[in-house]
Amino acid sequence: EQMRMSISVAGAILGYLELTKHDTINHITGISRIDQSSHLLLDKFTLRNLEIIHPAFEGGSSLASTIDKCETPMGARMLRRWVAMPLKSPEEIQKRQDIVTDLLTGEELLDLCSDYLKEVGDLERLVAKIGVGRISPREMNQLKTSLATIPYIMEFCSKSGENLKNFAQHLNPCTELVESIGKSLNPDAPAILNKGNVIASGVCQELDELRQLSLHGKDLLVQMQQREIEATGIPTLKIGFNNVFGYYIEVSKSYKDKTPENWIRKQTLVNGERYITPELKEYEEKIMGAEERIAELESDIYSTLLAEAGAYIKHIQIDAHYLATLDVLYSFAKSSKLYNYSKPV
């Protein structure tokens, strides 16, 4: 409350988002400043001259690129923040070192940590997409896979020393959301919602029925055509479709006298006649409306799932922070082992 300039800056940021019509910002759950009493802020000249983030010349190496063994994009971003804003507190630095030491106590710990982290996607980006309502079905499945890995990471941490045991307590597996995504979405859902085949079978009875109609529509037409051939005795009868009349029954002129009275003549051709029937028109309405209704139902179900995911934004953000932190510490341990680094005092 005492930082009036900070409040002005925060207001300017939010004002810019409002001005540019970014009004869906549920993922912005707080605004904070970097505390210079706890971090050393390196200026751009220091960062450049010490080659901390970028090398001084093309093809060279930087500190960040040398020690970056992270398995996740959010871990790699956090590592760059850490080396650009080093901690001032020896106690906080010691806590990080202790976790690195724990990870280095056994060969299998590093491998196991790597295996779990590889399953975690970019939760920071995914949760932001949930906040603005732009997460795709494929990304929603990536979110499920990432969250489903958390229970295994929690178990791993609980068996890896006191420091990581405390670390695990901050993680939330969001079990109900994982179950909802698993039940609602096809495992191979496409990247774009309107591509179809997003929602799993068994979620909506109407959707399942419409899919059956859409998938087996040609089979039903063949059955209808065969039934009419047998009923009328017209062997050349066929069912066709065009954009003007929709579905129709076509009969050659030599058989037009055999057509039933309830058939409605729609078009006269040089060599035949085209008819429609109430059954054929009913079928046409179903098949033509099926795709549109399928898209509508899938969109509604996905919107409900997206709203459910929105309730977990804060939890997922906390998970993302701690998983990224674990990833950076894993990267430090991996680099220490690879380059034979010693723990500084």
Side-chain angles (χ1 to χ4, degrees):
E1 290 294 335
Q2 292 77 30
M3 301 175 186
R4 296 189 63 185
M5 291 184 69
S6 295
I7 293 170
S8 297
V9 171
I13 292 168
L14 295 175
Y16 171 78
L17 292 174
E18 184 178 28
L19 187 68
T20 53
K21 304 301 180 185
H22 290 85
D23 50 357
T24 309
I25 51 173
N26 296 332
H27 60 296
I28 300 179
T29 54
I31 298 176
S32 59
R33 70 185 186 96
I34 298 167
D35 188 356
Q36 294 194 48
S37 66
S38 60
H39 295 83
L40 179 66
L41 303 186
L42 304 182
D43 59 67
K44 63 181 180 179
F45 302 106
T46 304
L47 291 172
R48 184 185 65 195
N49 293 334
L50 296 182
E51 298 181 287
I52 289 176
I53 304 295
H54 302 291
F57 56 90
E58 191 174 346
S61 296
S62 66
L63 170 64
S65 65
T66 301
I67 63 173
D68 183 2
K69 312 300 175 192
C70 293
E71 300 289 358
T72 69
M74 55 188 182
R77 290 194 296 271
M78 179 174 280
L79 185 146
R80 278 156 177 75
R81 288 198 298 273
W82 280 15
V83 295
M85 297 185 294
L87 289 173
K88 288 183 178 180
S89 165
E91 292 77 21
E92 292 301 316
I93 295 170
Q94 186 69 48
K95 285 180 184 177
R96 291 179 181 176
Q97 290 180 340
D98 289 343
I99 294 178
V100 173
T101 302
D102 289 344
L103 289 170
L104 285 168
T105 54
E107 179 74 34
E108 69 282 354
L109 279 183
L110 275 181
D111 292 339
L112 197 58
C113 190
S114 173
D115 291 342
Y116 289 143
L117 288 170
K118 283 177 182 174
E119 295 297 314
V120 177
D122 196 341
L123 285 176
E124 288 178 339
R125 296 284 170 89
L126 292 175
V127 78
K129 288 190 172 187
I130 292 171
V132 298
R134 292 180 186 170
I135 185 168
S136 72
R138 183 176 293 170
E139 289 168 333
M140 190 70 86
N141 273 329
Q142 291 172 3
L143 175 68
K144 178 197 71 176
T145 302
S146 300
L147 294 175
T149 310
I150 290 178
Y152 300 102
I153 293 175
M154 292 173 70
E155 184 181 2
F156 163 80
C157 290
S158 66
K159 296 177 180 178
S160 308
E162 200 61 35
N163 299 300
L164 281 172
K165 191 178 292 184
N166 295 331
F167 190 92
Q169 294 174 0
H170 297 282
L171 294 172
N172 185 337
C174 305
T175 308
E176 291 181 3
L177 177 60
V178 171
E179 290 175 355
S180 291
I181 297 172
K183 288 177 183 176
S184 300
L185 296 188
N186 276 321
D188 56 349
I192 302 172
L193 178 59
N194 60 17
K195 287 283 186 182
N197 202 33
V198 169
I199 306 302
S201 298
V203 175
C204 173
Q205 184 178 348
E206 182 185 357
L207 180 60
D208 291 344
E209 290 172 355
L210 288 168
R211 279 177 174 163
Q212 283 294 108
L213 180 64
S214 180
L215 286 171
H216 303 292
K218 289 183 179 179
D219 296 337
L220 292 172
L221 279 176
V222 170
Q223 292 171 16
M224 190 185 300
Q225 179 175 297
Q226 189 58 38
R227 192 171 67 246
E228 293 296 345
I229 288 172
E230 292 171 0
T232 61
I234 305 173
T236 58
L237 179 152
K238 65 178 181 181
I239 294 177
F241 175 84
N242 67 30
N243 292 326
V244 179
F245 300 112
Y247 286 98
Y248 58 81
I249 298 173
E250 186 170 318
V251 176
S252 59
K253 285 202 171 179
S254 56
Y255 289 102
K256 70 176 184 178
D257 294 336
K258 287 191 170 187
T259 57
E261 292 182 3
N262 65 333
W263 285 16
I264 304 165
R265 183 185 284 110
K266 201 68 180 173
Q267 187 181 19
T268 300
L269 305 173
V270 176
N271 298 318
E273 300 282 349
R274 287 178 176 173
Y275 302 86
I276 58 171
T277 68
E279 182 187 9
L280 194 58
K281 292 312 289 181
E282 183 182 348
Y283 170 81
E284 180 184 315
E285 288 174 6
K286 283 184 179 179
I287 198 70
M288 297 301 285
E291 293 298 328
E292 185 178 338
R293 181 60 179 155
I294 286 171
E296 186 180 315
L297 286 170
E298 289 211 321
S299 179
D300 289 346
I301 295 168
Y302 189 74
S303 294
T304 302
L305 181 64
L306 185 57
E308 184 178 350
Y312 285 85
I313 284 177
K314 188 64 180 175
H315 299 296
I316 299 171
Q317 286 177 330
I318 294 170
D319 285 339
H321 171 77
Y322 282 98
L323 290 173
T325 303
L326 177 63
D327 197 14
V328 178
L329 295 171
Y330 157 80
S331 179
F332 287 171
K334 186 79 174 176
S335 297
S336 299
K337 184 171 173 34
L338 183 64
Y339 305 125
N340 198 27
Y341 288 161
S342 295
K343 179 181 177 181
V345 177

